[in-house]
């Protein structure tokens, strides 16, 4: 299937690195205008823009913290006043800060919940207000199967990811008659900076759990996001598409 997004604008949070970057690049390749957002890594953002300079006229960057409501609100207000409508939101930004529960710092719990779960509320709330006016929209939230399985040392991350699915399913029901779909993509182990810091023995153990015996590539997640964000996926909402190599 060849998706055509030539008449559309896609906002991709966490769109400068890892899975989000691959999603941004997939939308650029499909003809969309892309607004890629990030938190603070200017060097990675500049490298991403430079690698995609052939699409420069359709690519812009925005920097804000998804966990900060005022910053998210300012971004969407500015879009409404100066940027024109958008049709697609792929919410990919996310963090992890691992520790077993007995040793987890309160700050690490709060940071992960604030960024991953409250960030999802902040971004989706402001996005859906715009999409409702257009009576059309596609929201794709990047979650994780760890929200379903649970993983030792990742209770904060797992809780935030399970919460994202519950949030997305609830939102999908609220906007179902407005031409707006809300779905999740749930990647397994994907080769990005996100898992680069894991100890080798842990990576080996994770690899052993994957029936395909390989980690996924970010572009393999991006293709699923593109599918769910297409006009053709009009009757798919409240779903979770796993991209896990069979995990
Ligand atoms: N990689 C995996 O194996 C895997 C598996 C399952 C699910 N996921 C999920 O996939 C999503 C993307 O992961 P990834 O592997 O692409 O991670 P990544 O390579 O670490 O990239 C994370 C992106 O999110 C942005 N970000 C982080 N905190 C933010 C904040 N508070 N406000 C705004 N932007 C923020 C980062 O911006 P900066 O560059 O400025 O830091 C970066 O662009 C996450 O939600 C993660 O939970 C990943």
């Amino acid at each position: 299937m060849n998706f055509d997004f030539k008449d559309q604008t896609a906002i991709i949070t966490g769109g400068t690195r890892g899975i989000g970057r691959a999603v941004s690049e997939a939308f650029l390749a499909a003809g969309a205008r892309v607004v890629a957002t990030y938190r603070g890594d200017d060097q990675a953002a500049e490298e991403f823009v430079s690698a995609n300079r052939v699409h420069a006229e359709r690519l812009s960057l925005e920097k804000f913290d998804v966990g900060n409501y005022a910053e998210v609100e300012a971004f969407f207000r500015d879009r409404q006043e100066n940027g024109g409508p958008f049709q697609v939101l792929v919410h990919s930004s996310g963090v992890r800060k691992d520790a077993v529960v007995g040793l987890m710092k309160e700050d690490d719990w709060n940071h992960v919940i604030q960024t991953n779960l409250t960030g999802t509320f902040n971004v989706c709330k402001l996005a859906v207000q715009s999409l409702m006016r257009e009576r059309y929209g596609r929201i794709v939230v990047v979650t994780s199967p760890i929200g379903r399985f649970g993983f030792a040392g990742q209770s904060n991350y797992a809780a935030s990811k399970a919460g994202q699915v519950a949030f997305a399913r609830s939102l999908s029901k609220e906007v179902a008659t407005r031409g707006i779909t809300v779905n999740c993509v749930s990647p397994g182990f994907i080769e990005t900076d996100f898992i680069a810091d894991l100890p080798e023995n842990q990576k080996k153990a994770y690899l052993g759990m994957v029936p395909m015996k390989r980690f996924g590539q970010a572009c393999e997640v991006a293709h699923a996001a593109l599918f769910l964000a297409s006009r053709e996926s009009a009757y798919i909402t409240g779903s979770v598409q796993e991209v896990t190599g069979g995990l």
Side-chain angles (χ1 to χ4, degrees), residues 162-194:
Q164 282 184 315
V165 174
F167 174 85
R169 286 207 162 117
S170 303
L171 177 59
S172 74
K173 291 179 166 63
E174 293 177 6
V175 298
T177 58
R178 306 297 185 98
I180 302 169
T181 66
V182 186
N183 292 288
C184 293
V185 168
S186 185
F189 303 111
I190 308 297
E191 280 181 19
T192 71
D193 295 346
F194 202 77

Side-chain angles (χ1 to χ4, degrees), residues 10-186:
I11 295 173
I12 321 293
T13 70
T16 57
R17 282 203 291 126
I19 292 170
R21 172 175 171 162
V23 172
S24 295
E25 289 171 343
F27 276 96
L28 286 169
R33 288 177 294 279
V34 168
V35 183
T37 85
Y38 68 109
R39 163 98 195 253
D41 190 338
D42 296 320
Q43 202 180 330
E46 279 157 26
E47 197 273 314
F48 156 69
V49 169
S50 163
N52 288 282
R53 57 187 168 276
V54 57
H55 299 305
E57 77 288 355
R58 288 189 284 115
L59 174 60
S60 60
L61 285 182
E62 294 286 344
K63 184 174 165 182
F64 60 88
D65 178 0
V66 296
N68 182 318
Y69 188 85
E71 289 185 22
V72 178
E73 193 176 35
F75 164 72
F76 279 99
R77 196 182 318 114
D78 181 60
R79 263 229 67 81
Q80 195 190 325
E81 287 166 8
N82 306 311
F86 61 94
Q87 291 73 32
V88 176
L89 165 70
V90 180
H91 179 53
S92 183
S93 61
V95 290
R96 39 171 275 268
K97 199 81 189 160
D98 302 348
V100 293
V101 172
L103 297 176
M104 187 177 287
K105 295 192 181 94
E106 191 187 355
D107 278 355
D108 291 344
W109 170 267
N110 288 335
H111 176 60
V112 170
I113 297 294
Q114 186 71 24
T115 303
N116 294 0
L117 185 54
T118 307
T120 302
F121 164 73
N122 293 344
V123 172
C124 290
K125 175 188 165 175
L126 276 306
V128 95
Q129 289 178 347
S130 285
L131 298 175
M132 296 266 265
R133 282 192 288 276
E134 304 300 317
R135 296 190 83 80
Y136 177 84
R138 297 282 183 265
I139 296 178
V140 180
V141 175
V142 183
T143 179
S144 164
I146 288 174
R148 202 156 57 79
F149 302 149
F151 255 41
Q154 295 198 317
S155 60
N156 50 357
Y157 181 73
S160 73
K161 292 287 154 182
Q164 282 184 315
V165 174
F167 174 85
R169 286 207 162 117
S170 303
L171 177 59
S172 74
K173 291 179 166 63
E174 293 177 6
V175 298
T177 58
R178 306 297 185 98
I180 302 169
T181 66
V182 186
N183 292 288
C184 293
V185 168
S186 185

